[in-house]
Amino acid sequence: MSSTDAPEQASSTDEHDDHHPTPRQYVNIAVVLAVLTALEVSTYFLDFGVIAIPLLVILMVVKFLYVAGWFMHLKFDSRVFGRMMYTGLFLALGLYALAIIVILFDSATIA
Amino acid sequence: MRETRQTRAGSRRRTRTVTGIVVLASLLLAACSGEQNALDPAGPFAQGPHDLIVPVAIIAAVVFVLVQGLIIYSVIRFRTRKDDDGSLPVQVHGNTRLEIVWTVIPAVILAVIAVPTVQGIFEQMDDPGGDDVLAVEVIGHRWWFEYYYPDYDIYTANEMAIPTDTPVRLEMTAADLARSPEQGVVHSFWIPRLAGKQDLVPGQTTFLNMQADEPGRYLGQCAEYCGLSHVNMRARVEAMEPADFDTWVEQQSTPAEVPEDGTLEADGRELYNDLDGRQACASCHQVWEDEGDARAAGQGPDLTHLLSREEFAGAIHDMTEENLRDWLEDPNSMKPMQYEVNGIGMPDLDLSEEELDALVAYLLTLDPES
Amino acid sequence: MSSSTVEKSGFSGRPKGESGIGAWLTTTDHKKIGIMYFFTVLVFFALGGAESGLIRAQLAQAEQNLLTEEIYNQVFTMHGITMVFLVVMPLSAAFFNYLIPLMIGARDVAFPRLNAFSYWVYLFGGIFLYSSFLLGGAPNGSWVGYAPLSTDAVSNMAFYAAGLNIVGVSSLAAAINFIVTILNMRAPGMTFMRMPVFIWMSLVTNFLLLFALPIIAVALFMLNADAVFGAQFFEPGTGGDPVLYQHLFWLFGHPEVYIMILPAMGIVSEILPVGARKPLFGYAAVVFAGAAIGFIGFGVWAHHMFTSAIGPVARSAFALSTMFIAVPTGIKIFNWVFTMWGGKLRFTTPMLFSIGFISMFTIGGLSGVTHAIVPHNAQQHDTYYVVAHFHYVLFGGALFGLIGGVYYWFPKVTGKLMSEKLGKVHFWTWLLGFNLTFGPMHMSGLLGQPRRTAVLPGELGGTVEIYNLLSSLGVVVLTVSALVFLFNLIASIKGGVPSGNDPWDARTLEWLTPSPTPYENFPIIPTVTHRDEFWHRKYAEDDAGKAIPVPAGAAEDHDADAEPEHIHMPDPSYWPLVQTLGFFPFGYGLVYGNFWLIGIGLAWLVIGLYGWIIEPLAEGDDDDPVDEPARPGARAGAH
Amino acid sequence: MAAGVETTTMGLDHRKLGMWTFLGSEFLFFGAFVSAYLLYLDTTAGGPGVEIFDIPFTSISSFVLLMSSLTMVLAHHAHAQGDLRRMRLWILATAGQGAVFLGGQVFEFNVFVREGLTISESPFASSFYVLTGFHGMHVFVGILLLMSVYVLSLIGKIKPTQHVKTEMIGLYWHFVDIVWVVIFTVVYLIPEIAVLE
Ligand code: HEA
Ligand code: HEA
Ligand code: CUA
Ligand SMILES: [Cu+2]
């Protein structure tokens, strides 16, 4: 089967290994993640006032993107993988947000 | 408010003529029978939706005829004929213009239907407001409906009395008092000729508007599956002229009479309050005998004016002496319940013949007419 | 490649036998698994049908007492569960299994052992659900299992929660398998827009499964936790919200109904062009509409809750989205009709069922649109009018399409034709019995007959009774019809007329290979240059769009330059069967709240997984190729 | 017909594609639990609520789990280099950190139960335990998988070239970590801060 040439021919495994990050880069990412986590936890000890919650959400998203992008190689791997994941993620966000909105703000009880 | 109701009545007459022409003759045929018939509205809150569905049904019928017509036409016209030369037909791959047509036309039709639908939703759910609105609280139990009239402090069950030509706003919830005031399962209150259905959700309050144009007995049914005896959870609305309704309120607001000492009925009352050792009727039911006492909901239906109702036990049995006796003797055979396994319903209290005689005699005194 | 023999001496060895029962129990061949799905479905269909027979017997007349309320409630619940989860979904899976690899020009699915795993989990999940009848009663809380009724111990719904979760594992595994197969294993040249519509619809369906199943898994876990482990998710007494369950269920439940219809739509889209001898009218539109239905299908769930505790804004929004879904569905209907338009129709049995599909499904679809008229939905909801709607779409839609598919691909599987004469008897009695059974329900529902009621109350009025009697008579016709089908099936398997390789003059790749399909599917993987590749190998179009047969032998041989290949096929395996048995202790543990059983079940599943992993590697499995050249040095470094 | 990447239509490894597909669906799974939790934040039925959380403690175990992602990716990197010995080392480190996290969770649950927060206490309690419990189960499965890789590579069942296997388990592990990133913020920090205010 290796003799048939598919039109959407792929790079071989070894090829895409080349642009994988180095351990040093991984460690750097981990340091960043650690700092972000420290910042997160500090919101508990220090009073950030109104920006605390938006800040936490932003930090969460950034951490998410770092882990997904670097550790899970989304930045380097095929875009198909990312699409799979983000489809699930955004579908979940959309559907559950809608359901929560209906339950909290438009239950018949309030009408 | 009155005004809209009048215009509704007007449109009602109009759609009656429209319905007459509707192709679905069977719809019409059916519309003449049955007291639990969704096609035969008897009040504005049932009429509104009806006036909406009739044109939709016509549109659907047209689409139906169109699609089936196309299918039948193609089947006949394009069948392979006996004398076919075996060649292949023209290989058409599609036609963008046609495809746009049958995308846009249904979309437009639906957009047109959507407008009155959304209006109808708000109309259906809005509080009718005004001074003459009667409030009734409906509590769904497994497996019977309890009604409470907050304006008059009246408890009753299964049969709801309402005055005609008066909007009624039901405030509904569900509970199985046997377990806790907030536990219960979902039910749905539905009197088809007076209004659509609305679920009763334990721990929440939902609302339903209804109104009857004519006096009469309107049948209904719990319409959300609620377990074992869901089928035996029926409901009735007894609509009466406002004057009769006032009389009814009067009667219900009078305490039950206490039978004279020494009679069989009085023995029954004794037993009702104390079944030595066995669970007393009074622990689940209330018979309100003294103006000074508070009226309260119980695990079972309020029995104060039991005989003012025509049916009992989820409105599945006629209120006759015989039936009441059978009920007390073996409630489960009259209506499947789950007292033993689940604490739901009325227990079999192992009553002796004498006890039955006395209790039934007592129950029969609970009649506001006497 | 010879290095693989070294591996054969591993932990337990792999089963060999090519025939006999052992071959079926250990098979990883997508075709065999598809066939097993099919026959299992037949059994469950008979069970679900028998249950519906009981329902109809009870309701044939008013105030009958053939079944007590207690039994009736179990029967209708199991009927719904059986038909949805053990008949229609796995029947679709049977088609996915058999056809997806063939239609995309592959030799198997991406994960053959996982495929076998899916089948066994489905079978055992079904047996698990039915075992409840012997263990104190079947679930009786309806197929939607609304809380808090279903958290009540007497509802036996723990069986439902655990059982459906088991069956769900099967579907989820299968969904991943088919998605990867379709995305990643197409023959060279088969671009997305060259895929058969059935493949498209399978892809959409499996994505729906992928994203909908986890939602019901959560709902069922919560139900299970409430019912057995004392959790309070839906317990109003402590502030739990019963409506949350409804949202979660229907978030899954509505995509689920499209999961049931889309495969049938795919099948019909394959049969109609063949029967009309004309390509599908508006391929792109049909594909796009299918994807749109799948997508919009996630946004309409609350239309099952119009009478529940949701407010006017939500009711309006969901009414609009629900109506809108009629647009893409309509596109498909009209495209199918115009596929027939101008063709030369041959009324073979598959074609009859496909035409029946369009016709009957339209009825169900139109009554669906009337449900979305929310003010009046309050009258229809939970009446037989809804029962009529969903049987028209499920039976008149999904089942008509799937049965048409059985007739159509039977020659592919067996190399024999099913009797056309019996097929036509089956079709016409099926159509008649179906309409007789479910047509009258529109009327009885509007006349006020509520569903899920164990007795037909006499007080509803005389008219309802006659409609119910007609419905019950319809089941008699359907049963006779089903027996004709069954007889036809068995007789044709035994002594059907040989069909040749291409009995219908078909269009898609699966007919390129001999019938019955050889073990390796394709001796040479075809290279695809057209949509409807197989047809284009047989015919050319002249300038006027008229098709002319290509003389035999003159066809340009697309695969001529392909070298003969060394064909690897997946080895059979014991482990899918052995491992999935672990779902029994696991499931019973969940039902009885027994942590020992749960532990045993989990341990069993894990050990099974190890068996699976450690099993000697075979060529062409879902594993690394064993013949990959080992890197010298690397191995040494490992020690 | 091996699943070699060269021979697939999209040029992707079946197993990686399958894993990503699965992870896509997992969002719907955890999302439903998180939604229930958010809905029930205040539904404590008079029992303990979010104030019961011990943020410093959870921060530490969250941090450990986060760092296990680093060791995981290093394990994969080592495997990709064909260095099984180092790979095993990192695998052990990862599994160890996972075990620390799990231990922390067990400890935390025990404390909560002693303080009166049992699963039957309230919808809040149920949704908290079931959500974090399911996450814990995922970690547990991850540890099992890691240990399998460890053992299989020892007995030669996983070869230096087969780094896709470590990569797959890595994907799963990182995903579980990501879910915890969300849980830590949404379940612990934000409600806690909202209560403090
Ligand atoms: C295969 C399964 C299937 C399918 C395909 C559908 C399709 C549809 N369903 Fe149905 N439905 C069910 C299975 C299905 N349903 C089940 C099982 C239930 C009950 C669950 C339970 O409670 O137990 C149910 C219940 C149900 C309800 C809730 C009823 C209630 O309980 O109150 C509603 C409400 O809106 C609804 C709507 C629709 C609509 C609008 C469609 C649309 O997709 C239909 C679209 C199709 C057409 C409209 C026909 C073709 C179109 C044209 C020819 C174009 C022109 C048309 C117009 C201009 C109108 N369905
Ligand atoms: C695909 C789904 C599907 C199918 C095909 C059917 C098929 C049938 N259903 Fe349906 N039904 C549902 C899905 C389906 N059903 C669902 C989801 C519900 C809701 C449940 C709930 O409320 O919870 C429901 C509910 C339901 C009710 C309402 C019950 C109630 O609310 O109280 C009724 C009542 O008549 C009914 C009748 C029938 C009938 C007569 C058939 C017939 O068409 C069946 C015909 C089939 C046969 C007669 C089989 C015969 C086969 C043989 C004899 C072959 C023997 C073969 C071998 C041994 C291999 N069904
Ligand atoms: Cu109450 Cu059904
Ligand atoms: Cu739906």
Side-chain angles (χ1 to χ4, degrees), chain B residues 140-145 185-189 200 221-227 229-234, chain C residues 149 451-453:
Chain B
H141 302 272
R142 268 182 280 179
W143 291 275
W144 55 285
F145 285 109
V185 302
V186 183
H187 305 272
S188 194
F189 189 73
L200 287 61
Q221 156 85 41
C222 169
E224 184 63 62
Y225 178 67
C226 52
S229 246
H230 163 65
V231 63
N232 298 317
M233 183 165 174
R234 303 194 54 83
Chain C
L149 179 64
R451 61 192 282 210
R452 296 174 180 147
T453 47

mmCIF file of all heavy atoms in Angstrom, chain B residues 140-145 185-189 200 221-227 229-234, chain C residues 149 451-453, ligand 3:
data_model
loop_
_atom_site.group_PDB
_atom_site.id
_atom_site.type_symbol
_atom_site.label_atom_id
_atom_site.label_comp_id
_atom_site.label_asym_id
_atom_site.label_seq_id
_atom_site.Cartn_x
_atom_site.Cartn_y
_atom_site.Cartn_z
ATOM 1 N N GLY B 140 -49.546 18.957 42.348
ATOM 2 C CA GLY B 140 -49.620 17.604 41.817
ATOM 3 C C GLY B 140 -48.987 16.621 42.779
ATOM 4 O O GLY B 140 -47.831 16.772 43.165
ATOM 5 N N HIS B 141 -49.779 15.657 43.216
ATOM 6 C CA HIS B 141 -49.242 14.595 44.057
ATOM 7 C C HIS B 141 -49.275 13.317 43.245
ATOM 8 O O HIS B 141 -50.042 13.195 42.303
ATOM 9 C CB HIS B 141 -50.122 14.396 45.297
ATOM 10 C CG HIS B 141 -50.275 15.619 46.142
ATOM 11 N ND1 HIS B 141 -49.394 15.945 47.136
ATOM 12 C CD2 HIS B 141 -51.208 16.591 46.133
ATOM 13 C CE1 HIS B 141 -49.789 17.069 47.722
ATOM 14 N NE2 HIS B 141 -50.886 17.488 47.136
ATOM 15 N N ARG B 142 -48.462 12.345 43.662
ATOM 16 C CA ARG B 142 -48.646 11.036 43.058
ATOM 17 C C ARG B 142 -49.851 10.392 43.734
ATOM 18 O O ARG B 142 -49.773 10.074 44.923
ATOM 19 C CB ARG B 142 -47.401 10.172 43.256
ATOM 20 C CG ARG B 142 -46.435 10.321 42.088
ATOM 21 C CD ARG B 142 -45.237 9.452 42.215
ATOM 22 N NE ARG B 142 -44.251 10.039 43.118
ATOM 23 C CZ ARG B 142 -43.090 9.425 43.413
ATOM 24 N NH1 ARG B 142 -42.816 8.251 42.908
ATOM 25 N NH2 ARG B 142 -42.228 9.989 44.224
ATOM 26 N N TRP B 143 -50.979 10.163 43.190
ATOM 27 C CA TRP B 143 -51.371 10.456 41.842
ATOM 28 C C TRP B 143 -52.725 11.149 41.848
ATOM 29 O O TRP B 143 -53.740 10.594 41.479
ATOM 30 C CB TRP B 143 -51.436 9.157 41.026
ATOM 31 C CG TRP B 143 -50.075 8.570 40.808
ATOM 32 C CD1 TRP B 143 -49.218 8.929 39.810
ATOM 33 C CD2 TRP B 143 -49.395 7.583 41.569
ATOM 34 N NE1 TRP B 143 -48.035 8.203 39.910
ATOM 35 C CE2 TRP B 143 -48.122 7.374 40.986
ATOM 36 C CE3 TRP B 143 -49.698 6.856 42.710
ATOM 37 C CZ2 TRP B 143 -47.185 6.462 41.492
ATOM 38 C CZ3 TRP B 143 -48.772 5.960 43.208
ATOM 39 C CH2 TRP B 143 -47.529 5.777 42.587
ATOM 40 N N TRP B 144 -52.738 12.347 42.350
ATOM 41 C CA TRP B 144 -53.975 13.141 42.367
ATOM 42 C C TRP B 144 -53.620 14.618 42.429
ATOM 43 O O TRP B 144 -52.545 14.999 42.863
ATOM 44 C CB TRP B 144 -54.865 12.745 43.552
ATOM 45 C CG TRP B 144 -54.167 12.832 44.887
ATOM 46 C CD1 TRP B 144 -53.234 11.955 45.381
ATOM 47 C CD2 TRP B 144 -54.297 13.858 45.866
ATOM 48 N NE1 TRP B 144 -52.787 12.373 46.607
ATOM 49 C CE2 TRP B 144 -53.434 13.537 46.942
ATOM 50 C CE3 TRP B 144 -55.078 15.012 45.955
ATOM 51 C CZ2 TRP B 144 -53.320 14.330 48.075
ATOM 52 C CZ3 TRP B 144 -54.971 15.797 47.089
ATOM 53 C CH2 TRP B 144 -54.101 15.458 48.141
ATOM 54 N N PHE B 145 -54.546 15.426 41.955
ATOM 55 C CA PHE B 145 -54.336 16.874 41.970
ATOM 56 C C PHE B 145 -55.038 17.486 43.173
ATOM 57 O O PHE B 145 -56.197 17.181 43.463
ATOM 58 C CB PHE B 145 -54.921 17.518 40.708
ATOM 59 C CG PHE B 145 -54.100 17.286 39.478
ATOM 60 C CD1 PHE B 145 -54.558 16.444 38.479
ATOM 61 C CD2 PHE B 145 -52.881 17.921 39.301
ATOM 62 C CE1 PHE B 145 -53.805 16.227 37.331
ATOM 63 C CE2 PHE B 145 -52.135 17.711 38.155
ATOM 64 C CZ PHE B 145 -52.594 16.866 37.166
ATOM 65 N N VAL B 185 -42.637 14.497 41.995
ATOM 66 C CA VAL B 185 -42.194 14.267 40.624
ATOM 67 C C VAL B 185 -42.961 15.204 39.710
ATOM 68 O O VAL B 185 -43.937 15.829 40.114
ATOM 69 C CB VAL B 185 -42.407 12.798 40.205
ATOM 70 C CG1 VAL B 185 -41.669 11.863 41.145
ATOM 71 C CG2 VAL B 185 -43.883 12.457 40.163
ATOM 72 N N VAL B 186 -42.502 15.263 38.472
ATOM 73 C CA VAL B 186 -43.116 16.182 37.530
ATOM 74 C C VAL B 186 -44.483 15.644 37.086
ATOM 75 O O VAL B 186 -44.622 14.455 36.782
ATOM 76 C CB VAL B 186 -42.201 16.367 36.309
ATOM 77 C CG1 VAL B 186 -42.797 17.383 35.358
ATOM 78 C CG2 VAL B 186 -40.811 16.798 36.747
ATOM 79 N N HIS B 187 -45.473 16.499 37.077
ATOM 80 C CA HIS B 187 -46.782 16.176 36.501
ATOM 81 C C HIS B 187 -47.110 17.251 35.480
ATOM 82 O O HIS B 187 -46.344 18.184 35.279
ATOM 83 C CB HIS B 187 -47.862 16.168 37.577
ATOM 84 C CG HIS B 187 -47.587 15.266 38.735
ATOM 85 N ND1 HIS B 187 -47.957 13.945 38.746
ATOM 86 C CD2 HIS B 187 -46.966 15.490 39.914
ATOM 87 C CE1 HIS B 187 -47.579 13.392 39.896
ATOM 88 N NE2 HIS B 187 -46.969 14.311 40.629
ATOM 89 N N SER B 188 -48.262 17.120 34.854
ATOM 90 C CA SER B 188 -48.674 18.160 33.923
ATOM 91 C C SER B 188 -50.187 18.295 33.997
ATOM 92 O O SER B 188 -50.905 17.299 33.966
ATOM 93 C CB SER B 188 -48.240 17.801 32.498
ATOM 94 O OG SER B 188 -48.358 18.924 31.663
ATOM 95 N N PHE B 189 -50.640 19.525 34.120
ATOM 96 C CA PHE B 189 -52.077 19.751 34.270
ATOM 97 C C PHE B 189 -52.660 20.095 32.912
ATOM 98 O O PHE B 189 -52.193 21.009 32.237
ATOM 99 C CB PHE B 189 -52.315 20.884 35.267
ATOM 100 C CG PHE B 189 -53.762 21.032 35.650
ATOM 101 C CD1 PHE B 189 -54.361 20.110 36.489
ATOM 102 C CD2 PHE B 189 -54.525 22.090 35.159
ATOM 103 C CE1 PHE B 189 -55.704 20.232 36.849
ATOM 104 C CE2 PHE B 189 -55.855 22.209 35.510
ATOM 105 C CZ PHE B 189 -56.443 21.287 36.355
ATOM 106 N N LEU B 200 -46.030 20.630 36.065
ATOM 107 C CA LEU B 200 -45.875 21.008 37.463
ATOM 108 C C LEU B 200 -44.532 20.457 37.903
ATOM 109 O O LEU B 200 -44.310 19.250 37.811
ATOM 110 C CB LEU B 200 -46.976 20.377 38.313
ATOM 111 C CG LEU B 200 -48.405 20.902 38.227
ATOM 112 C CD1 LEU B 200 -48.955 20.760 36.840
ATOM 113 C CD2 LEU B 200 -49.282 20.144 39.206
ATOM 114 N N GLN B 221 -56.405 15.330 32.297
ATOM 115 C CA GLN B 221 -55.559 14.198 32.659
ATOM 116 C C GLN B 221 -54.182 14.726 32.973
ATOM 117 O O GLN B 221 -53.712 15.663 32.351
ATOM 118 C CB GLN B 221 -55.510 13.251 31.453
ATOM 119 C CG GLN B 221 -54.321 12.342 31.350
ATOM 120 C CD GLN B 221 -54.517 11.071 32.161
ATOM 121 O OE1 GLN B 221 -55.601 10.501 32.162
ATOM 122 N NE2 GLN B 221 -53.468 10.649 32.860
ATOM 123 N N CYS B 222 -53.528 14.114 33.937
ATOM 124 C CA CYS B 222 -52.125 14.418 34.135
ATOM 125 C C CYS B 222 -51.399 13.987 32.874
ATOM 126 O O CYS B 222 -51.551 12.862 32.412
ATOM 127 C CB CYS B 222 -51.550 13.676 35.331
ATOM 128 S SG CYS B 222 -49.751 13.783 35.414
ATOM 129 N N ALA B 223 -50.632 14.883 32.282
ATOM 130 C CA ALA B 223 -50.069 14.597 30.973
ATOM 131 C C ALA B 223 -48.562 14.452 30.997
ATOM 132 O O ALA B 223 -47.930 14.483 29.954
ATOM 133 C CB ALA B 223 -50.476 15.681 29.982
ATOM 134 N N GLU B 224 -47.967 14.339 32.169
ATOM 135 C CA GLU B 224 -46.551 14.027 32.180
ATOM 136 C C GLU B 224 -46.405 12.739 32.954
ATOM 137 O O GLU B 224 -46.896 12.628 34.084
ATOM 138 C CB GLU B 224 -45.758 15.155 32.851
ATOM 139 C CG GLU B 224 -44.250 14.951 32.818
ATOM 140 C CD GLU B 224 -43.696 14.925 31.426
ATOM 141 O OE1 GLU B 224 -43.813 15.938 30.738
ATOM 142 O OE2 GLU B 224 -43.155 13.873 31.011
ATOM 143 N N TYR B 225 -45.735 11.785 32.336
ATOM 144 C CA TYR B 225 -45.643 10.467 32.942
ATOM 145 C C TYR B 225 -45.073 10.588 34.356
ATOM 146 O O TYR B 225 -43.986 11.140 34.549
ATOM 147 C CB TYR B 225 -44.754 9.569 32.089
ATOM 148 C CG TYR B 225 -44.574 8.207 32.686
ATOM 149 C CD1 TYR B 225 -45.665 7.339 32.779
ATOM 150 C CD2 TYR B 225 -43.358 7.789 33.183
ATOM 151 C CE1 TYR B 225 -45.519 6.098 33.353
ATOM 152 C CE2 TYR B 225 -43.209 6.547 33.745
ATOM 153 C CZ TYR B 225 -44.293 5.703 33.823
ATOM 154 O OH TYR B 225 -44.157 4.476 34.392
ATOM 155 N N CYS B 226 -45.808 10.067 35.343
ATOM 156 C CA CYS B 226 -45.381 10.255 36.730
ATOM 157 C C CYS B 226 -45.359 8.945 37.490
ATOM 158 O O CYS B 226 -45.505 8.914 38.704
ATOM 159 C CB CYS B 226 -46.279 11.273 37.419
ATOM 160 S SG CYS B 226 -48.036 10.924 37.259
ATOM 161 N N GLY B 227 -45.209 7.855 36.764
ATOM 162 C CA GLY B 227 -45.035 6.583 37.447
ATOM 163 C C GLY B 227 -46.287 5.728 37.447
ATOM 164 O O GLY B 227 -47.199 5.915 36.643
ATOM 165 N N SER B 229 -49.287 5.049 38.679
ATOM 166 C CA SER B 229 -50.700 5.311 38.392
ATOM 167 C C SER B 229 -50.918 6.581 37.585
ATOM 168 O O SER B 229 -51.970 7.202 37.686
ATOM 169 C CB SER B 229 -51.498 5.365 39.696
ATOM 170 O OG SER B 229 -52.406 4.285 39.748
ATOM 171 N N HIS B 230 -49.944 6.929 36.783
ATOM 172 C CA HIS B 230 -50.077 8.112 35.925
ATOM 173 C C HIS B 230 -51.421 8.119 35.199
ATOM 174 O O HIS B 230 -52.102 9.146 35.119
ATOM 175 C CB HIS B 230 -48.914 8.131 34.934
ATOM 176 C CG HIS B 230 -49.098 9.008 33.752
ATOM 177 N ND1 HIS B 230 -49.199 10.376 33.848
ATOM 178 C CD2 HIS B 230 -49.208 8.719 32.431
ATOM 179 C CE1 HIS B 230 -49.345 10.891 32.635
ATOM 180 N NE2 HIS B 230 -49.358 9.905 31.761
ATOM 181 N N VAL B 231 -51.826 6.958 34.690
ATOM 182 C CA VAL B 231 -53.085 6.906 33.935
ATOM 183 C C VAL B 231 -54.269 7.213 34.833
ATOM 184 O O VAL B 231 -55.299 7.694 34.376
ATOM 185 C CB VAL B 231 -53.251 5.533 33.241
ATOM 186 C CG1 VAL B 231 -53.340 4.418 34.281
ATOM 187 C CG2 VAL B 231 -54.476 5.526 32.358
ATOM 188 N N ASN B 232 -54.118 6.934 36.136
ATOM 189 C CA ASN B 232 -55.237 7.138 37.051
ATOM 190 C C ASN B 232 -55.205 8.507 37.706
ATOM 191 O O ASN B 232 -55.814 8.723 38.739
ATOM 192 C CB ASN B 232 -55.220 6.054 38.132
ATOM 193 C CG ASN B 232 -55.394 4.687 37.523
ATOM 194 O OD1 ASN B 232 -56.223 4.502 36.630
ATOM 195 N ND2 ASN B 232 -54.602 3.732 37.970
ATOM 196 N N MET B 233 -54.451 9.406 37.123
ATOM 197 C CA MET B 233 -54.356 10.750 37.682
ATOM 198 C C MET B 233 -55.121 11.685 36.769
ATOM 199 O O MET B 233 -54.568 12.348 35.911
ATOM 200 C CB MET B 233 -52.883 11.144 37.780
ATOM 201 C CG MET B 233 -52.676 12.500 38.412
ATOM 202 S SD MET B 233 -50.959 12.669 38.858
ATOM 203 C CE MET B 233 -50.947 14.378 39.389
ATOM 204 N N ARG B 234 -56.437 11.690 36.969
ATOM 205 C CA ARG B 234 -57.258 12.482 36.070
ATOM 206 C C ARG B 234 -57.669 13.780 36.750
ATOM 207 O O ARG B 234 -57.461 13.965 37.939
ATOM 208 C CB ARG B 234 -58.457 11.659 35.628
ATOM 209 C CG ARG B 234 -58.022 10.340 34.951
ATOM 210 C CD ARG B 234 -59.144 9.674 34.204
ATOM 211 N NE ARG B 234 -59.756 10.577 33.251
ATOM 212 C CZ ARG B 234 -59.275 10.810 32.027
ATOM 213 N NH1 ARG B 234 -58.204 10.182 31.609
ATOM 214 N NH2 ARG B 234 -59.879 11.666 31.236
ATOM 215 N N LEU C 149 -38.533 11.324 39.097
ATOM 216 C CA LEU C 149 -39.244 10.039 39.081
ATOM 217 C C LEU C 149 -38.265 8.885 38.950
ATOM 218 O O LEU C 149 -38.390 7.851 39.605
ATOM 219 C CB LEU C 149 -40.242 10.020 37.917
ATOM 220 C CG LEU C 149 -41.043 8.745 37.752
ATOM 221 C CD1 LEU C 149 -41.946 8.534 38.954
ATOM 222 C CD2 LEU C 149 -41.871 8.782 36.482
ATOM 223 N N ARG C 451 -50.310 9.925 26.042
ATOM 224 C CA ARG C 451 -49.436 8.776 25.879
ATOM 225 C C ARG C 451 -49.007 8.253 27.245
ATOM 226 O O ARG C 451 -49.280 8.859 28.269
ATOM 227 C CB ARG C 451 -48.219 9.154 25.037
ATOM 228 C CG ARG C 451 -47.359 10.231 25.641
ATOM 229 C CD ARG C 451 -46.341 10.776 24.652
ATOM 230 N NE ARG C 451 -45.206 9.865 24.507
ATOM 231 C CZ ARG C 451 -43.965 10.262 24.211
ATOM 232 N NH1 ARG C 451 -43.703 11.553 24.021
ATOM 233 N NH2 ARG C 451 -42.999 9.391 24.072
ATOM 234 N N ARG C 452 -48.305 7.145 27.224
ATOM 235 C CA ARG C 452 -47.783 6.521 28.443
ATOM 236 C C ARG C 452 -48.888 6.248 29.451
ATOM 237 O O ARG C 452 -48.686 6.371 30.653
ATOM 238 C CB ARG C 452 -46.700 7.385 29.079
ATOM 239 C CG ARG C 452 -45.490 7.514 28.176
ATOM 240 C CD ARG C 452 -44.477 8.475 28.719
ATOM 241 N NE ARG C 452 -43.334 8.574 27.815
ATOM 242 C CZ ARG C 452 -42.622 9.677 27.640
ATOM 243 N NH1 ARG C 452 -42.911 10.770 28.296
ATOM 244 N NH2 ARG C 452 -41.609 9.686 26.805
ATOM 245 N N THR C 453 -50.058 5.927 28.966
ATOM 246 C CA THR C 453 -51.155 5.591 29.867
ATOM 247 C C THR C 453 -51.500 4.129 29.684
ATOM 248 O O THR C 453 -51.697 3.661 28.555
ATOM 249 C CB THR C 453 -52.379 6.462 29.586
ATOM 250 O OG1 THR C 453 -52.615 6.489 28.186
ATOM 251 C CG2 THR C 453 -52.169 7.858 30.105
HETATM 252 CU CU1 CUA E 3 -49.135 12.864 37.364
HETATM 253 CU CU2 CUA E 3 -48.786 11.815 35.400
#
